[in-house]
Amino acid sequence: MSSMEVDQSSSLPVWRDEEAPEEEAEQEAADGDEGGGPLGCCERFQHSISRWMLPPHARDVYLERANCCPPPIFIILVSIGELAVFIYYAVWKPQKQWVTLGEAIWKSPLTYKPDTREQAWRFISYMFVHAGVQHILGNLLMQLLLGIPLELVHKGFEVGMVYMSGVLAGSLASSIFDPLNALVGASGGVYALMGGYFMNAIVNFREMLPLLGVFRITAILLIVGTDMGFALYRRFLAHESGYKVSFVAHIAGGIAGMTVGYVFFSSYNQKLLRDPRFWMCIVGYLLFVVFAVVFNIFLSPA
């Protein structure tokens, strides 16, 4: 066991402070594993993940350590939980809802509502409740397609911290900037993942193939634009009785991702506690949380 640890530590790349030639990494991928044989399906998958999720100078370290232990359990468990709650309200509750919001959703102990905000768990639990098929399918698709590769690279703790920071930022921001409306859905967490990935794509654009960088940035912008358009439509144009669903969580989750998420996702193989950006984001996020708590206790019009 100790010999393996020594081997791993000694195999760290020498290109820490300068960019490793991409030709060498590509040649290693073409040559195969240490035994000289062709890459298997798992190895090819890991190479693809490294190209999509990491800048060139960090890929060698990832490929040396790449494994599926632990598997991407956080994002899978969260997705299963969200799907289970949706099915419960869509099938087994008397007020069945498949496409639009139903009365059972508003009465759920999970939904965030301004008149029940003293029940603090609702600032987190709202992520499990969704406003119809298109709402949950969109969130599940995005968080699985983006969350699983991110968790394979950065592991569950980092991805979980970014995801949950977006969820909490979404509900707190909604309680401040849209205090009279309810909130459902995991869009805050999903947008946090997209925000962190987007910032990495911007910062590392020159280290990627131009076509790949443009594709990643364009895809994120198209997805965000389409989803925000639908959220704004439901908020201002759709004629739905009762509460209106707030869209502020999308924006707040994206900001959380572009700050907290960027620090976590750009610090692969680095010690976060020594990174001043980490402490700046943590202090800023905590100040925001304290302000939101004070606002909800003393200043909220709800």
Side-chain angles (χ1 to χ4, degrees), residues 39-64:
L39 294 175
C41 294
C42 182
E43 288 79 8
R44 288 199 299 270
F45 175 72
Q46 297 290 0
H47 276 278
S48 299
I49 292 295
S50 69
R51 286 194 295 271
W52 277 96
M53 296 296 163
L54 291 170
H57 66 266
R59 292 173 190 168
D60 289 341
V61 182
Y62 169 73
L63 291 173
E64 290 172 2

mmCIF file of all heavy atoms in Angstrom, residues 39-64:
data_model
loop_
_atom_site.group_PDB
_atom_site.id
_atom_site.type_symbol
_atom_site.label_atom_id
_atom_site.label_comp_id
_atom_site.label_asym_id
_atom_site.label_seq_id
_atom_site.Cartn_x
_atom_site.Cartn_y
_atom_site.Cartn_z
ATOM 1 N N LEU A 39 -6.000 1.099 -25.831
ATOM 2 C CA LEU A 39 -6.853 1.522 -24.725
ATOM 3 C C LEU A 39 -8.180 0.788 -24.771
ATOM 4 O O LEU A 39 -8.777 0.599 -25.833
ATOM 5 C CB LEU A 39 -7.103 3.030 -24.803
ATOM 6 C CG LEU A 39 -5.891 3.944 -24.590
ATOM 7 C CD1 LEU A 39 -6.300 5.396 -24.817
ATOM 8 C CD2 LEU A 39 -5.315 3.769 -23.197
ATOM 9 N N GLY A 40 -8.672 0.421 -23.575
ATOM 10 C CA GLY A 40 -9.988 -0.175 -23.483
ATOM 11 C C GLY A 40 -11.066 0.889 -23.444
ATOM 12 O O GLY A 40 -10.790 2.093 -23.487
ATOM 13 N N CYS A 41 -12.312 0.439 -23.327
ATOM 14 C CA CYS A 41 -13.434 1.379 -23.312
ATOM 15 C C CYS A 41 -13.335 2.334 -22.131
ATOM 16 O O CYS A 41 -13.570 3.536 -22.273
ATOM 17 C CB CYS A 41 -14.756 0.609 -23.263
ATOM 18 S SG CYS A 41 -15.096 -0.362 -24.756
ATOM 19 N N CYS A 42 -12.990 1.812 -20.956
ATOM 20 C CA CYS A 42 -12.899 2.646 -19.764
ATOM 21 C C CYS A 42 -11.809 3.706 -19.911
ATOM 22 O O CYS A 42 -11.998 4.873 -19.582
ATOM 23 C CB CYS A 42 -12.643 1.784 -18.534
ATOM 24 S SG CYS A 42 -12.569 2.706 -16.979
ATOM 25 N N GLU A 43 -10.638 3.289 -20.449
ATOM 26 C CA GLU A 43 -9.534 4.230 -20.617
ATOM 27 C C GLU A 43 -9.884 5.317 -21.631
ATOM 28 O O GLU A 43 -9.578 6.496 -21.440
ATOM 29 C CB GLU A 43 -8.269 3.500 -21.054
ATOM 30 C CG GLU A 43 -7.617 2.652 -19.966
ATOM 31 C CD GLU A 43 -8.327 1.324 -19.772
ATOM 32 O OE1 GLU A 43 -9.230 1.007 -20.590
ATOM 33 O OE2 GLU A 43 -7.975 0.608 -18.821
ATOM 34 N N ARG A 44 -10.537 4.918 -22.738
ATOM 35 C CA ARG A 44 -10.938 5.920 -23.719
ATOM 36 C C ARG A 44 -11.946 6.891 -23.137
ATOM 37 O O ARG A 44 -11.902 8.096 -23.410
ATOM 38 C CB ARG A 44 -11.528 5.223 -24.955
ATOM 39 C CG ARG A 44 -10.493 4.511 -25.810
ATOM 40 C CD ARG A 44 -11.027 4.243 -27.206
ATOM 41 N NE ARG A 44 -12.199 3.376 -27.162
ATOM 42 C CZ ARG A 44 -12.159 2.046 -27.219
ATOM 43 N NH1 ARG A 44 -10.982 1.429 -27.314
ATOM 44 N NH2 ARG A 44 -13.256 1.329 -27.188
ATOM 45 N N PHE A 45 -12.850 6.375 -22.307
ATOM 46 C CA PHE A 45 -13.829 7.237 -21.650
ATOM 47 C C PHE A 45 -13.133 8.237 -20.732
ATOM 48 O O PHE A 45 -13.472 9.428 -20.716
ATOM 49 C CB PHE A 45 -14.819 6.380 -20.860
ATOM 50 C CG PHE A 45 -15.805 7.170 -20.046
ATOM 51 C CD1 PHE A 45 -16.830 7.865 -20.668
ATOM 52 C CD2 PHE A 45 -15.710 7.212 -18.663
ATOM 53 C CE1 PHE A 45 -17.735 8.597 -19.922
ATOM 54 C CE2 PHE A 45 -16.615 7.936 -17.913
ATOM 55 C CZ PHE A 45 -17.633 8.626 -18.546
ATOM 56 N N GLN A 46 -12.141 7.765 -19.967
ATOM 57 C CA GLN A 46 -11.423 8.658 -19.060
ATOM 58 C C GLN A 46 -10.655 9.723 -19.837
ATOM 59 O O GLN A 46 -10.576 10.882 -19.406
ATOM 60 C CB GLN A 46 -10.460 7.858 -18.176
ATOM 61 C CG GLN A 46 -11.116 6.843 -17.251
ATOM 62 C CD GLN A 46 -11.910 7.480 -16.125
ATOM 63 O OE1 GLN A 46 -11.972 8.705 -16.019
ATOM 64 N NE2 GLN A 46 -12.502 6.666 -15.278
ATOM 65 N N HIS A 47 -10.070 9.355 -20.984
ATOM 66 C CA HIS A 47 -9.388 10.343 -21.803
ATOM 67 C C HIS A 47 -10.367 11.402 -22.312
ATOM 68 O O HIS A 47 -10.042 12.601 -22.336
ATOM 69 C CB HIS A 47 -8.694 9.661 -22.986
ATOM 70 C CG HIS A 47 -7.338 9.114 -22.656
ATOM 71 N ND1 HIS A 47 -6.211 9.898 -22.638
ATOM 72 C CD2 HIS A 47 -6.928 7.854 -22.323
ATOM 73 C CE1 HIS A 47 -5.162 9.157 -22.306
ATOM 74 N NE2 HIS A 47 -5.567 7.910 -22.110
ATOM 75 N N SER A 48 -11.551 10.971 -22.704
ATOM 76 C CA SER A 48 -12.554 11.936 -23.172
ATOM 77 C C SER A 48 -12.977 12.865 -22.044
ATOM 78 O O SER A 48 -13.120 14.087 -22.248
ATOM 79 C CB SER A 48 -13.773 11.187 -23.726
ATOM 80 O OG SER A 48 -13.420 10.378 -24.825
ATOM 81 N N ILE A 49 -13.178 12.310 -20.847
ATOM 82 C CA ILE A 49 -13.559 13.129 -19.695
ATOM 83 C C ILE A 49 -12.482 14.167 -19.407
ATOM 84 O O ILE A 49 -12.770 15.347 -19.150
ATOM 85 C CB ILE A 49 -13.796 12.241 -18.456
ATOM 86 C CG1 ILE A 49 -15.033 11.363 -18.645
ATOM 87 C CG2 ILE A 49 -13.926 13.097 -17.199
ATOM 88 C CD1 ILE A 49 -16.320 12.128 -18.753
ATOM 89 N N SER A 50 -11.222 13.752 -19.444
ATOM 90 C CA SER A 50 -10.134 14.686 -19.136
ATOM 91 C C SER A 50 -10.076 15.822 -20.145
ATOM 92 O O SER A 50 -9.779 16.973 -19.787
ATOM 93 C CB SER A 50 -8.796 13.936 -19.094
ATOM 94 O OG SER A 50 -8.415 13.495 -20.389
ATOM 95 N N ARG A 51 -10.359 15.528 -21.418
ATOM 96 C CA ARG A 51 -10.312 16.584 -22.433
ATOM 97 C C ARG A 51 -11.441 17.580 -22.262
ATOM 98 O O ARG A 51 -11.280 18.766 -22.526
ATOM 99 C CB ARG A 51 -10.344 15.970 -23.842
ATOM 100 C CG ARG A 51 -9.041 15.318 -24.265
ATOM 101 C CD ARG A 51 -9.013 15.047 -25.748
ATOM 102 N NE ARG A 51 -10.005 14.067 -26.141
ATOM 103 C CZ ARG A 51 -9.791 12.748 -26.169
ATOM 104 N NH1 ARG A 51 -8.597 12.277 -25.831
ATOM 105 N NH2 ARG A 51 -10.734 11.921 -26.549
ATOM 106 N N TRP A 52 -12.610 17.099 -21.793
ATOM 107 C CA TRP A 52 -13.757 17.984 -21.641
ATOM 108 C C TRP A 52 -13.716 18.783 -20.343
ATOM 109 O O TRP A 52 -14.215 19.900 -20.287
ATOM 110 C CB TRP A 52 -15.055 17.161 -21.676
ATOM 111 C CG TRP A 52 -15.519 16.860 -23.055
ATOM 112 C CD1 TRP A 52 -15.284 15.731 -23.778
ATOM 113 C CD2 TRP A 52 -16.289 17.718 -23.902
ATOM 114 N NE1 TRP A 52 -15.850 15.831 -25.021
ATOM 115 C CE2 TRP A 52 -16.483 17.032 -25.123
ATOM 116 C CE3 TRP A 52 -16.830 18.986 -23.745
ATOM 117 C CZ2 TRP A 52 -17.198 17.590 -26.178
ATOM 118 C CZ3 TRP A 52 -17.549 19.534 -24.801
ATOM 119 C CH2 TRP A 52 -17.725 18.835 -26.003
ATOM 120 N N MET A 53 -13.109 18.213 -19.299
ATOM 121 C CA MET A 53 -13.237 18.805 -17.976
ATOM 122 C C MET A 53 -11.982 19.490 -17.457
ATOM 123 O O MET A 53 -12.060 20.264 -16.505
ATOM 124 C CB MET A 53 -13.654 17.716 -16.962
ATOM 125 C CG MET A 53 -15.013 17.121 -17.248
ATOM 126 S SD MET A 53 -16.308 18.371 -17.082
ATOM 127 C CE MET A 53 -17.678 17.594 -17.940
ATOM 128 N N LEU A 54 -10.818 19.215 -18.036
ATOM 129 C CA LEU A 54 -9.572 19.709 -17.454
ATOM 130 C C LEU A 54 -8.717 20.410 -18.496
ATOM 131 O O LEU A 54 -8.726 20.033 -19.678
ATOM 132 C CB LEU A 54 -8.767 18.550 -16.847
ATOM 133 C CG LEU A 54 -9.354 17.886 -15.603
ATOM 134 C CD1 LEU A 54 -8.582 16.620 -15.288
ATOM 135 C CD2 LEU A 54 -9.346 18.839 -14.415
ATOM 136 N N PRO A 55 -7.947 21.430 -18.075
ATOM 137 C CA PRO A 55 -6.959 22.018 -18.974
ATOM 138 C C PRO A 55 -5.823 21.037 -19.225
ATOM 139 O O PRO A 55 -5.613 20.089 -18.442
ATOM 140 C CB PRO A 55 -6.468 23.256 -18.200
ATOM 141 C CG PRO A 55 -6.724 22.925 -16.769
ATOM 142 C CD PRO A 55 -7.967 22.082 -16.763
ATOM 143 N N PRO A 56 -5.031 21.206 -20.282
ATOM 144 C CA PRO A 56 -4.003 20.217 -20.635
ATOM 145 C C PRO A 56 -3.014 19.902 -19.524
ATOM 146 O O PRO A 56 -2.615 18.745 -19.358
ATOM 147 C CB PRO A 56 -3.302 20.876 -21.832
ATOM 148 C CG PRO A 56 -4.340 21.747 -22.446
ATOM 149 C CD PRO A 56 -5.150 22.273 -21.298
ATOM 150 N N HIS A 57 -2.605 20.905 -18.733
ATOM 151 C CA HIS A 57 -1.559 20.661 -17.747
ATOM 152 C C HIS A 57 -2.024 19.772 -16.601
ATOM 153 O O HIS A 57 -1.200 19.276 -15.843
ATOM 154 C CB HIS A 57 -1.038 21.990 -17.188
ATOM 155 C CG HIS A 57 -2.055 22.753 -16.395
ATOM 156 N ND1 HIS A 57 -2.860 23.731 -16.962
ATOM 157 C CD2 HIS A 57 -2.395 22.689 -15.086
ATOM 158 C CE1 HIS A 57 -3.645 24.243 -16.033
ATOM 159 N NE2 HIS A 57 -3.390 23.628 -14.891
ATOM 160 N N ALA A 58 -3.353 19.562 -16.446
ATOM 161 C CA ALA A 58 -3.860 18.735 -15.352
ATOM 162 C C ALA A 58 -4.303 17.351 -15.804
ATOM 163 O O ALA A 58 -4.634 16.501 -14.977
ATOM 164 C CB ALA A 58 -5.029 19.441 -14.654
ATOM 165 N N ARG A 59 -4.278 17.089 -17.103
ATOM 166 C CA ARG A 59 -4.837 15.836 -17.603
ATOM 167 C C ARG A 59 -3.980 14.627 -17.244
ATOM 168 O O ARG A 59 -4.509 13.558 -16.932
ATOM 169 C CB ARG A 59 -5.009 15.920 -19.118
ATOM 170 C CG ARG A 59 -6.075 16.910 -19.544
ATOM 171 C CD ARG A 59 -6.101 17.103 -21.039
ATOM 172 N NE ARG A 59 -6.969 18.221 -21.395
ATOM 173 C CZ ARG A 59 -7.004 18.775 -22.599
ATOM 174 N NH1 ARG A 59 -6.203 18.309 -23.556
ATOM 175 N NH2 ARG A 59 -7.812 19.782 -22.851
ATOM 176 N N ASP A 60 -2.653 14.777 -17.287
ATOM 177 C CA ASP A 60 -1.784 13.643 -16.985
ATOM 178 C C ASP A 60 -1.998 13.145 -15.561
ATOM 179 O O ASP A 60 -2.048 11.941 -15.311
ATOM 180 C CB ASP A 60 -0.322 14.028 -17.186
ATOM 181 C CG ASP A 60 0.023 14.211 -18.652
ATOM 182 O OD1 ASP A 60 -0.744 13.697 -19.493
ATOM 183 O OD2 ASP A 60 1.032 14.857 -18.958
ATOM 184 N N VAL A 61 -2.128 14.082 -14.624
ATOM 185 C CA VAL A 61 -2.364 13.698 -13.223
ATOM 186 C C VAL A 61 -3.673 12.953 -13.095
ATOM 187 O O VAL A 61 -3.766 11.922 -12.419
ATOM 188 C CB VAL A 61 -2.356 14.946 -12.319
ATOM 189 C CG1 VAL A 61 -2.541 14.537 -10.864
ATOM 190 C CG2 VAL A 61 -1.071 15.718 -12.494
ATOM 191 N N TYR A 62 -4.712 13.476 -13.745
ATOM 192 C CA TYR A 62 -6.018 12.812 -13.669
ATOM 193 C C TYR A 62 -5.963 11.406 -14.251
ATOM 194 O O TYR A 62 -6.481 10.450 -13.665
ATOM 195 C CB TYR A 62 -7.067 13.643 -14.406
ATOM 196 C CG TYR A 62 -8.369 12.902 -14.599
ATOM 197 C CD1 TYR A 62 -9.227 12.674 -13.524
ATOM 198 C CD2 TYR A 62 -8.735 12.396 -15.841
ATOM 199 C CE1 TYR A 62 -10.410 11.973 -13.686
ATOM 200 C CE2 TYR A 62 -9.913 11.703 -16.021
ATOM 201 C CZ TYR A 62 -10.748 11.494 -14.937
ATOM 202 O OH TYR A 62 -11.918 10.789 -15.095
ATOM 203 N N LEU A 63 -5.314 11.248 -15.417
ATOM 204 C CA LEU A 63 -5.291 9.949 -16.075
ATOM 205 C C LEU A 63 -4.490 8.928 -15.272
ATOM 206 O O LEU A 63 -4.782 7.736 -15.320
ATOM 207 C CB LEU A 63 -4.713 10.093 -17.484
ATOM 208 C CG LEU A 63 -5.605 10.866 -18.465
ATOM 209 C CD1 LEU A 63 -4.876 11.104 -19.785
ATOM 210 C CD2 LEU A 63 -6.915 10.121 -18.701
ATOM 211 N N GLU A 64 -3.481 9.384 -14.536
ATOM 212 C CA GLU A 64 -2.734 8.469 -13.685
ATOM 213 C C GLU A 64 -3.567 7.957 -12.518
ATOM 214 O O GLU A 64 -3.402 6.837 -12.052
ATOM 215 C CB GLU A 64 -1.477 9.166 -13.156
ATOM 216 C CG GLU A 64 -0.418 9.416 -14.223
ATOM 217 C CD GLU A 64 0.710 10.285 -13.699
ATOM 218 O OE1 GLU A 64 0.660 10.646 -12.504
ATOM 219 O OE2 GLU A 64 1.636 10.597 -14.461
#
